[in-house]
Amino acid sequence: MNFNDYTPVKVSCGEGIIAQSASAFSARGTKALIVTGKHSAALSGALPDITAVLESVNIAYTIYDGIGQNPLISACHEAGQTAREIEADFIIGVGGGSPMDAAKAAAIYASNPALAPIALFDLNWEHRPLPLILVGTTAGTGSEVTAVSVLTVDETMRKRSITHNDCYASLSFADPLYTHSMTRDITISTALDALSHAAEGWFSPKRTDMAASAARNALPLIFNGLRVLDSNGPLSAPLRESLYYGSLWAGVVLSVTGTGFPHPFGYALTEDYNIPHGKACTAFLPALVERARQYERKRFDEFFHILQCDYEGFNALVRRLTAVELTIPISDADQYLQRWVGLKNFANTPGGYNTALAKELLYDRFHIV
Ligand code: NAP
Ligand code: FE
């Protein structure tokens, strides 16, 4: 057995779970800061459920709704300051990966007033963060169960992530009903993100038995959902549920293995071309699977057995759903390649990876002019 994993988040799943969990909120204090984006918390139904349960047990709350997509560290810092000002006992992050990741950072800033925004990336704050509850509204990132927070540095507008045990929520609520309001496009992109987490982890040299087992759960749930989305099928409740639970299992995989090169490569497409995170990363996934075809044949065969699909069919589906066709100036491509020198994700890829291969991939996949 190969087990060496720490996945400490209590996850409470099911429809209507928040209304049934008042005592979990009151156990964490009497004042809460809700960290969220502009619209989806209300649109999804999560925010009204949360405020109703807080009111039912006399927890005072303030809502900080200044978190955008690919959250800025300045907004997370401001949310942390707000938590301090209202003397919050705990933080509730509500939304997709962006507000959930922002809430993780805000919880750290809140209890570390001397920590400068950028110093978060040094990973040596003094005090433990405020307790954190997360409520997901997209079926993709798995941030509910990971120790990862992906943020954007204001000065450079580049994405950077931290991974630290202090970023684990103490409790996550997973109610698939909150994902029903996602548009088809957001549903596709977030499902692709979950597919990449499960696939990158499946082929990772850091894979443990626990990660493999979580990936065996995740992959069919996500891939069958993507097949329905690919054929323009209905966004039914069972589809939503499969995608959401699949994304949580994929989050467990990511939590154990981290990501391969598609993730950092995808960041560049999000930053410079506004391609949503899931589509951006998954555009590079076939290249990682190709490495597995050459260097991890056993896992490669089992992967396609689990998906009940062949290599060509997989690539074609991914290509249709990512549909990322870009013309990239050569100067930008050169910059990306410089930035990727020595990426730790290269070692987390079957057969390894390097910038020479990355260059080939960029020129093969996009129009570089
Ligand atoms: P997101 O950036 O949180 O949200 C994307 C869009 O979807 C926003 O416009 C959001 O609205 C909207 N939305 C969210 N839930 C909705 C719902 N139920 N109904 C309708 N619209 C909804 O998207 P995401 O893909 O979940 O998160 C991406 C971020 O997570 C990226 O920054 C990525 O790098 C990061 N990430 C983190 C991890 C991790 O382990 N922590 C893993 C992978 C990715 P609002 O603006 O109103 O919120
Ligand atoms: Fe991701």
Side-chain angles (χ1 to χ4, degrees):
M1 287 293 264
N2 167 16
F3 263 91
N4 187 23
D5 307 316
Y6 180 62
T7 52
V9 183
K10 172 169 173 158
V11 185
S12 291
C13 292
E15 293 185 4
I17 187 67
I18 285 184
Q20 302 157 28
S21 305
S23 59
F25 288 93
S26 49
R28 285 169 172 79
T30 56
K31 280 186 209 151
L33 179 75
I34 299 175
V35 174
T36 190
K38 274 282 174 276
H39 310 291
S40 61
L43 192 68
S44 64
L47 190 59
D49 284 354
I50 293 165
T51 54
V53 84
L54 294 177
E55 285 162 19
S56 77
V57 286
N58 294 319
I59 296 175
Y61 60 85
T62 297
I63 300 174
Y64 179 90
D65 68 358
I67 304 300
Q69 294 185 49
N70 309 301
L72 294 171
I73 53 173
S74 57
C76 304
H77 192 251
E78 192 174 71
Q81 269 176 330
T82 308
R84 250 193 334 271
E85 279 159 23
I86 66 160
E87 299 181 338
D89 299 312
F90 63 106
I91 288 187
I92 308 172
V94 190
S98 296
M100 288 193 284
D101 285 3
K104 294 173 180 183
I108 296 166
Y109 288 131
S111 53
N112 291 281
L115 188 70
I118 196 73
L120 187 75
F121 297 102
D122 299 337
L123 300 180
N124 66 349
W125 45 83
E126 202 180 335
H127 305 289
R128 295 293 312 276
L130 287 185
L132 178 66
I133 293 179
L134 294 176
V135 182
T137 66
T138 59
T141 68
S143 182
E144 293 91 331
V145 297
T146 75
V148 179
S149 170
V150 189
L151 307 169
T152 299
V153 178
D154 297 60
E155 289 74 18
T156 58
M157 290 309 279
R158 295 294 180 213
K159 288 172 72 110
R160 274 185 80 178
S161 65
I162 58 170
T163 303
H164 192 288
N165 284 343
D166 277 358
C167 289
Y168 280 118
S170 65
L171 171 63
S172 287
F173 287 106
D175 184 338
L177 285 179
Y178 299 146
T179 67
H180 285 211
S181 51
M182 282 193 294
T183 61
R184 184 172 284 272
D185 242 28
I186 296 176
T187 307
I188 291 173
S189 183
T190 51
L192 288 169
D193 189 23
L195 174 71
S196 283
H197 298 160
E200 290 171 32
W202 177 262
F203 293 119
S204 162
K206 292 197 225 159
R207 196 181 92 174
T208 62
D209 289 347
M210 175 153 158
S213 166
R216 281 190 190 93
N217 288 339
L219 286 167
L221 291 171
I222 300 163
F223 196 71
N224 289 339
L226 283 168
R227 275 200 170 106
V228 174
L229 292 165
D230 182 45
S231 61
N232 216 18
L235 297 169
S236 65
L239 172 91
R240 296 288 196 192
E241 188 175 290
S242 294
L243 287 174
Y244 192 32
Y245 292 150
S247 79
L248 295 178
W249 281 118
V252 173
V253 180
L254 164 61
S255 199
V256 174
T257 64
T259 55
F261 66 81
H263 261 73
F265 286 13
Y267 289 173
L269 305 189
T270 300
E271 292 159 355
D272 291 348
Y273 298 93
N274 214 16
I275 310 284
H277 172 72
K279 279 191 184 173
C281 300
T282 310
F284 297 104
L285 183 62
L288 180 132
V289 178
E290 169 57 23
R291 296 295 285 174
R293 194 176 68 82
Q294 294 172 39
Y295 296 98
E296 273 290 359
R297 193 65 206 204
K298 207 164 149 232
R299 288 189 193 180
F300 175 90
D301 290 340
E302 191 183 347
F303 182 77
F304 287 102
H305 178 72
I306 292 169
L307 298 187
Q308 294 287 297
C309 175
D310 61 23
Y311 184 45
E312 289 71 29
F314 174 84
N315 282 342
L317 179 142
V318 166
R319 189 99 190 187
R320 282 192 297 276
L321 290 180
T322 53
V324 176
E325 301 305 329
L326 293 177
T327 301
I328 299 178
I330 199 164
S331 54
D332 285 1
D334 283 346
Q335 250 184 42
Y336 300 156
L337 292 169
Q338 274 168 30
R339 191 173 154 199
W340 296 338
V341 171
L343 267 185
K344 68 178 173 15
N345 311 64
F346 286 165
N348 204 17
T349 298
Y353 213 70
N354 56 46
T355 39
L357 290 164
K359 185 171 185 182
E360 245 176 66
L361 173 59
L362 274 184
Y363 278 73
D364 179 53
R365 184 67 183 76
F366 302 110
H367 308 288
I368 311 287
V369 292

